[in-house]
């Protein structure tokens, strides 16, 4: 590489722990029961479109809403709807989920056919009906991201950074289905008439870089770039800064600085949909942690319970203390083994006593390491103080809403303060205060 | 010599006289009419600046009452005594509030869904799957209400707050701090209240908590005054109709209808 890229502000250097990167993806068998929640994306919750007792096919729409920022949810199995129940999501909000008993035949919905993607409008419509959301972890509906209205983005950035430790599902996707990914990128470039695309890979994944370089050598529009390893470089705003030097404005979107960022797995899913018409019903997840014996990447149908993955991977119930949905930095702890796999889950980490340390939090010593680590240039120690004191005006003044909850501050904090959790509380308080004051 | 002293005195005296007259005239012309009732009302208010009336401080509340923007009975620490005095000052009749006490409507007997190791406040715990208790409506027990109480009237016992009516001034700060909305007013000198707010159906509530309202409607049938009804799977007492006969208390199979008295 001759080009020099910017270093992101702040951030931390983490151990890579990509132990599953050389294990090829296996397919998890269809479980006995699947549970499909109606909220698997940022935005409006979907309304249930099926009734108890209905027979559903693979790819049939189970829930949808007329709101723009949303994505339809499809059945991942064929079988009978046995229950529609109320659930509590990880953030305490209420939602509904549909429980389906699969018949094991995986009968595909007869209507499924290759979508019409002749024009840009039809393409965006197809993206929405594919139910695709950002598969990197945020779950932002893909059609909202790609619908740039009359602005034509200067560049499409493909995020293959995968900066969190343990997770290797994007890497395996590149190694196993690199050709499809490149075709998917070409498809998006054609449909949205974008002239340039960058695939960003961190330098701890040289095999992926070499492969992508090889696959794109005849395509001048796509450039594969290697970035130095740093967390949280995979965050959308950080990646844009590292590649282009541009900063996304506050409350803005990447399109405001002329780029669109997509995760590499999302591109793959989109390409597969355009080829077959089969919506997003399964995904690749990394199963890691010392709680399971068979680590690796698995292709699972959405709605599979964690306990099914746990059993299939020969999990040890005595050793496992905590199950993380996502990476160790930003992952959300699962409530129980009866938590289903949703679209944005890229990894399940079965943590044991050795991986975790429950250190009591102590007083802030105002060392300022969190300020150095914050990639967004915030002051975590001040925000923490105000969030715990419920001072919403000050929280807004110190821009708590800009926090991307990457966890870099909590990682470096010598007092082990629960910084990110306090920011979640603070954001919730600020939202409530804004509703109250109109 | 004398001249050197007299001239400055004359100049300074002149300036003083000029400004004195000017300020007096200005004071008369631009006088801000002050409502003397505001000052009187302010003096009878307790001065706790608790904010329970909805205004940030006693000064602003006094002003709002005098201007007729607020009711005269909103001062909770001042009780009805203040309300009557405000009525006298304003020359109007102020409707007095009914006697009421604050009670926590939960006596949890729950098990845990998972072990929570985050920030030890109810607000934070509530954001993680609605807390670690099996019942999503139950008291989380981290004591946000205890911390916020300015009168030290609350203590945690058996996982739920106990409010001392002798210390409580009913300012309502604890009710605002509770993310589960468990602390509510119960009306009357003495009487009964339902110590559960779970809107889950009876089966779910019974599985989640041993002390939960299972919506069996026995109280509704036992009540002769049509004062207790099961709404959204939880019994609610209408204090306007309740005659405090105690029949609901006797029939409740879960013993979650409890007695209260404002004096102990």
């Amino acid at each position: 590489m001759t080009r020099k890229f910017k270093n992101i502000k702040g951030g931390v250097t983490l151990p890579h722990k990509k132990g599953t990167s050389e294990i090829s993806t296996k397919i998890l068998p269809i479980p006995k029961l699947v549970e499909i929640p109606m909220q698997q994306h940022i935005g409006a919750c979907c309304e249930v479109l099926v009734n108890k007792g209905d027979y559903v096919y693979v790819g049939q729409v189970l829930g949808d809403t007329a709101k723009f920022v949303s994505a339809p949810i499809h059945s991942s199995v064929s079988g009978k709807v046995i229950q529609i129940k109320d659930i509590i999501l990880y953030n305490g909000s209420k939602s509904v989920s549909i429980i389906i008993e699969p018949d094991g035949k995986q009968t595909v919905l007869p209507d499924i056919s290759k979508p019409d993607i002749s024009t840009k409008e039809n393409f965006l419509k197809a993206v929405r009906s594919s139910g695709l959301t950002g598969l990197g972890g945020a779950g932002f509906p893909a059609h909202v991201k790609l619908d740039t209205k009359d602005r034509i983005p200067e560049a499409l950035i493909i995020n293959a950074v995968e900066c969190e430790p343990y997770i290797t599902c994007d890497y395996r996707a590149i190694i196993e289905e690199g050709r499809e990914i490149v075709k998917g990128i070409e498809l998006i470039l054609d449909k949205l008439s974008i002239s340039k695309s960058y695939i960003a890979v961190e330098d701890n994944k040289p095999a992926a870089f070499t492969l992508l370089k090889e696959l794109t050598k005849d395509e001048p529009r796509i450039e594969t770039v290697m970035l130095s390893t740093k967390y949280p470089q995979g965050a959308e705003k950080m990646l844009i800064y590292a590649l282009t030097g541009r900063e996304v404005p506050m409350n803005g979107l990447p399109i405001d600085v002329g780029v669109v960022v997509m995760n590499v797995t999302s591109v793959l899913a989109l390409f597969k949909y355009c080829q077959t018409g089969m919506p997003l019903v399964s995904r690749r997840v990394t199963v890691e942690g010392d709680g399971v014996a068979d680590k690796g990447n698995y292709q699972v149908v959405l709605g599979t319970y964690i306990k099914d993955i746990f059993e299939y991977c020969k999990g040890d119930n005595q050793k496992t203390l905590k199950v993380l949905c996502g990476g160790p930095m930003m992952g959300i702890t699962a409530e129980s083994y009866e938590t289903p796999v949703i679209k944005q889950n890229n990894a399940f980490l079965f943590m044991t006593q050795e991986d975790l340390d429950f250190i009591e939090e102590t007083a802030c010593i105002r060392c300022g390491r969190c300020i150095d680590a914050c990639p967004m240039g915030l002051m975590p120690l001040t925000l923490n103080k105000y969030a715990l004191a419920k001072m919403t005006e000050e929280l807004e003044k110190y821009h708590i809403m800009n926090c991307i909850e990457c966890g870099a501050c909590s990682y470096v904090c010598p007092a082990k303060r629960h910084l990110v959790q306090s920011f979640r509380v603070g954001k919730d308080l600020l939202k409530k205060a804004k509703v109250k004051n109109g | 010599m004398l001249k050197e002293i007299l001239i400055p005195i004359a100049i300074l005296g002149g300036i003083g006289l000029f400004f004195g007259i000017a300020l007096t005239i200005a004071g008369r012309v631009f006088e801000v009419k002050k409502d003397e009732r505001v000052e009187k009302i302010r003096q009878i208010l307790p001065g706790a600046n608790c904010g329970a009336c909805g205004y940030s401080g006693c000064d602003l509340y006094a002003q709002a009452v005098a201007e007729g923007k607020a009711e005269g009975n909103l001062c909770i620490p001042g009780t009805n005594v203040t309300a009557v005095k405000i009525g006298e000052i304003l020359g109007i009749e102020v409707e007095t509030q009914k006697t009421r006490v604050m009670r926590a409507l939960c006596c949890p007997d729950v098990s845990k869904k998972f072990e929570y190791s985050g920030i030890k406040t109810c607000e934070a715990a509530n954001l993680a799957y609605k807390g670690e208790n099996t019942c999503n409506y139950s008291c989380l027990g981290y004591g946000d209400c205890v911390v916020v109480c300015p009168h030290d009237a609350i203590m945690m016992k058996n996982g739920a707050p106990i409010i001392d009516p002798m210390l409580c001034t009913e300012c309502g700060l604890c009710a605002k701090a509770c993310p589960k909305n468990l602390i509510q007013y119960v009306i009357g000198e003495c009487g009964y209240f339902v110590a559960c707010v779970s809107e889950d159906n009876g089966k779910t509530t019974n599985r989640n908590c041993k002390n939960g309202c299972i919506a069996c409607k026995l109280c509704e049938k036992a009540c002769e005054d049509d004062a207790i009804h099961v709404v959204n799977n939880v019994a609610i007492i209408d204090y306007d109709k309740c005659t405090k006969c105690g029949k609901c208390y006797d029939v409740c199979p879960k013993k979650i209808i409890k007695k209260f008295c404002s004096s102990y």
Side-chain angles (χ1 to χ4, degrees):
Chain A
M1 276 311 298
T2 46
R3 260 179 80 175
K4 190 96 181 86
F5 293 105
K6 287 199 181 244
N7 268 330
I8 61 164
K9 293 177 210 158
V12 288
T13 312
L14 302 174
H16 304 318
K17 300 204 172 183
K18 308 266 188 192
T20 55
S21 57
E22 298 315 318
I23 306 169
S24 54
T25 309
K26 293 177 205 113
I27 294 169
L28 200 83
I30 304 296
K32 289 192 190 77
L33 276 184
V34 294
E35 178 178 335
I36 298 174
M38 287 294 110
Q39 175 91 60
Q40 304 193 12
H41 47 77
I42 291 176
C45 185
C46 287
E47 283 156 33
V48 180
L49 298 177
V50 290
N51 296 315
K52 192 179 162 182
D54 286 2
Y55 183 84
V56 291
Y57 296 97
V58 180
Q60 187 175 339
V61 179
L62 294 179
D64 204 350
T65 164
K67 302 255 170 61
F68 182 64
V69 185
S70 66
I73 287 161
H74 303 86
S75 175
S76 56
V77 290
S78 65
K80 214 172 105 185
V81 177
I82 57 164
Q83 200 188 350
I84 294 170
K85 72 165 187 181
D86 296 331
I87 51 159
I88 304 282
L89 295 175
Y90 72 90
N91 58 3
S93 59
K94 281 180 186 168
S95 184
V96 187
S97 75
I98 299 172
I99 299 179
I100 304 169
E101 192 176 16
D103 58 3
K105 291 175 195 149
Q106 288 299 82
T107 323
V108 177
L109 189 70
D111 306 355
I112 279 183
S113 60
K114 212 170 151 178
D116 170 28
I117 49 167
S118 48
T119 62
K120 190 183 166 184
E121 282 70 39
N122 286 348
F123 175 68
L124 290 172
K125 228 175 262 172
V127 175
R128 188 179 193 284
S129 51
S130 75
L132 183 67
T133 62
L135 299 181
F140 193 73
H143 70 103
V144 183
K145 192 179 270 189
L146 294 176
D147 190 359
T148 53
K149 305 281 185 307
D150 46 356
R151 292 180 286 189
I152 290 181
E154 289 168 43
L156 171 73
I157 295 174
I158 304 301
N159 186 349
V161 170
E162 207 164 47
C163 58
E164 283 224 37
Y166 293 110
I167 307 177
T168 54
C169 66
D170 287 358
Y171 174 80
R172 285 315 304 173
I174 297 167
I175 297 296
E176 286 162 18
E177 291 167 288
R179 210 167 292 277
E180 285 84 352
I181 290 168
V182 173
K183 278 184 190 158
I185 299 169
E186 283 169 1
L187 179 79
I188 298 167
L189 292 179
D190 289 340
K191 293 299 162 197
L192 299 181
S193 44
I194 307 172
S195 52
K196 187 76 193 160
S197 175
Y198 298 98
I199 310 176
V201 186
E202 275 189 350
D203 58 9
N204 59 356
K205 292 176 273 291
F209 177 75
T210 325
L211 181 71
L212 287 169
K213 197 94 190 156
E214 179 64 29
L215 289 169
T216 57
K217 67 172 190 284
D218 300 327
E219 176 56 84
R221 290 182 299 174
I222 305 173
E223 190 185 334
T224 311
V225 293
M226 195 189 262
L227 302 169
S228 57
T229 308
K230 195 159 194 194
Y231 181 85
Q233 199 156 233
E236 194 171 69
K237 286 169 187 167
M238 303 306 117
L239 187 59
I240 294 169
Y241 182 77
L243 282 174
T244 64
R246 297 175 192 179
E247 282 184 42
V248 180
M250 210 162 85
N251 305 325
L253 289 169
I255 187 64
D256 295 334
V257 291
V259 292
V260 169
V261 184
M262 275 191 94
N263 183 267
V264 63
T265 329
S266 305
V267 175
L268 180 62
L270 181 59
F271 178 73
K272 281 185 183 166
Y273 176 72
C274 292
Q275 287 295 303
T276 62
M278 175 54 86
L280 182 67
V281 292
S282 71
R283 69 157 299 155
R284 190 183 267 108
V285 296
T286 305
V287 178
E288 249 277 28
D290 290 336
V292 288
D294 288 352
K295 297 169 191 174
N297 281 282
Y298 291 88
Q299 187 79 24
V300 298
V301 293
L302 296 177
T304 307
Y305 285 120
I306 293 178
K307 65 174 180 196
D308 294 317
I309 301 175
F310 188 62
E311 274 166 29
Y312 188 77
C313 302
K314 301 193 185 76
D316 187 344
N317 224 336
Q318 301 294 317
K319 269 165 79 182
T320 308
L321 280 183
K322 186 171 178 176
V323 185
L324 278 173
C325 309
M329 296 297 281
M330 289 186 75
I332 287 148
T333 314
E335 182 186 20
S336 68
Y337 285 115
E338 259 106 76
T339 307
V341 178
I342 61 169
K343 288 175 190 171
Q344 68 245 49
N345 291 147
N346 46 9
F348 291 97
L349 307 180
F350 297 90
M351 296 302 203
T352 58
Q353 185 70 55
E354 289 88 70
D355 302 318
L356 306 163
D357 47 353
F358 295 103
I359 302 172
E360 281 290 305
E361 61 174 346
T362 53
C364 172
I365 55 167
R366 301 173 63 79
C367 62
R369 278 187 223 178
C370 49
I371 300 174
D372 291 340
C374 182
M376 293 300 287
L378 301 173
M379 293 170 70
L381 78 163
T382 319
L383 287 172
N384 177 250
K385 199 171 67 185
Y386 288 137
L388 294 179
K390 302 184 181 180
M391 292 162 79
T392 47
E393 278 171 29
E394 282 78 2
L395 285 174
E396 194 171 14
K397 203 172 129 196
Y398 283 87
H399 304 299
I400 192 167
M401 284 303 179
N402 281 8
C403 169
I404 56 169
E405 298 179 18
C406 65
C409 51
S410 297
Y411 181 77
V412 296
C413 182
K416 296 288 164 225
R417 294 193 65 76
H418 302 298
L419 295 168
V420 177
Q421 198 197 0
S422 73
F423 304 153
R424 284 197 190 132
V425 175
K427 283 179 180 178
D428 189 63
L429 285 171
L430 189 56
K431 273 182 209 153
K432 276 184 197 155
K434 277 193 175 159
V435 170
K436 202 175 149 196
N437 301 333
Chain B
M1 181 67 186
L2 200 66
K3 219 176 164 184
E4 283 167 11
I5 298 169
L6 277 179
I7 290 171
I9 288 176
I11 292 169
L12 275 175
I15 293 170
L17 197 68
F18 170 74
F19 277 107
I21 294 165
L23 281 172
T24 315
I25 294 168
R28 287 276 159 82
V29 174
F30 302 111
E31 189 188 350
V32 180
K33 290 259 181 323
K34 228 185 175 182
D35 194 343
E36 54 192 32
R37 294 178 305 173
V38 175
E39 194 49 42
K40 277 187 189 166
I41 294 170
R42 174 66 192 85
Q43 270 165 16
I44 56 162
L45 289 174
N49 291 327
C50 66
C53 53
Y55 292 87
S56 46
C58 296
D59 287 349
L60 285 175
Y61 176 57
Q63 206 167 350
V65 172
E67 284 167 8
K69 284 181 191 162
E71 293 285 326
N73 58 1
L74 295 180
C75 181
I76 290 159
T79 66
N80 289 332
V81 182
T82 312
V84 171
K85 279 188 192 163
I86 289 174
E88 280 168 10
I89 292 166
L90 296 176
I92 53 166
E93 202 156 304
V94 173
E95 198 186 326
T96 50
Q97 299 268 23
K98 289 184 182 118
T99 316
R100 54 187 193 174
V101 287
M102 305 237 53
R103 277 288 179 273
L105 308 189
C106 185
C107 40
D109 188 353
V110 291
S111 46
K112 284 184 178 171
K113 289 187 281 192
F114 51 86
E115 203 153 317
Y116 173 75
S117 63
I119 301 173
K120 300 254 181 297
T121 65
C122 305
E123 191 82 49
N126 191 39
L127 281 179
Y129 298 102
K130 288 238 177 257
E132 58 193 325
N133 293 343
T134 42
C135 176
N136 290 328
Y137 297 89
S138 76
C139 176
L140 296 163
Y142 290 107
D144 279 14
C145 49
V146 179
V147 174
V148 84
C149 182
H151 308 288
D152 274 349
I154 309 178
M155 65 169 193
M156 296 301 283
K157 200 179 171 188
N158 299 334
I162 306 270
I163 302 167
D164 185 344
M166 302 311 282
L167 293 171
C168 177
T169 59
E170 290 142 44
C171 65
L173 289 176
C174 49
K176 279 180 200 155
C178 181
K180 302 278 192 192
N181 253 339
L182 287 172
I183 303 181
Q184 291 175 15
Y185 291 111
V186 288
I187 295 159
E189 198 72 51
C190 281
Y192 298 92
F193 70 99
V194 183
C196 184
V197 295
S198 168
E199 289 178 10
D200 283 334
N201 59 31
K203 196 180 154 195
T204 316
T205 309
N206 199 22
R207 193 180 60 218
N208 290 341
C209 176
K210 287 183 188 111
N211 292 339
C213 177
I214 52 168
C216 63
K217 300 198 177 183
L218 282 178
C219 49
E220 206 175 293
K221 283 169 202 147
C223 185
E224 288 166 3
D225 309 300
D226 193 35
I228 187 162
H229 290 282
V230 175
V231 186
N232 286 339
N233 292 321
V234 63
I236 291 169
I237 295 175
D238 182 350
Y239 288 101
D240 288 338
K241 289 180 184 165
C242 180
T243 56
K244 298 161 185 74
C245 63
K247 285 195 174 109
C248 53
Y249 174 79
D250 294 336
V251 296
C252 182
K254 288 281 176 182
K255 297 283 167 226
I256 54 144
I257 297 178
K258 297 196 182 287
K259 281 181 187 170
F260 74 91
C261 227
S262 59
S263 55
Y264 58 84

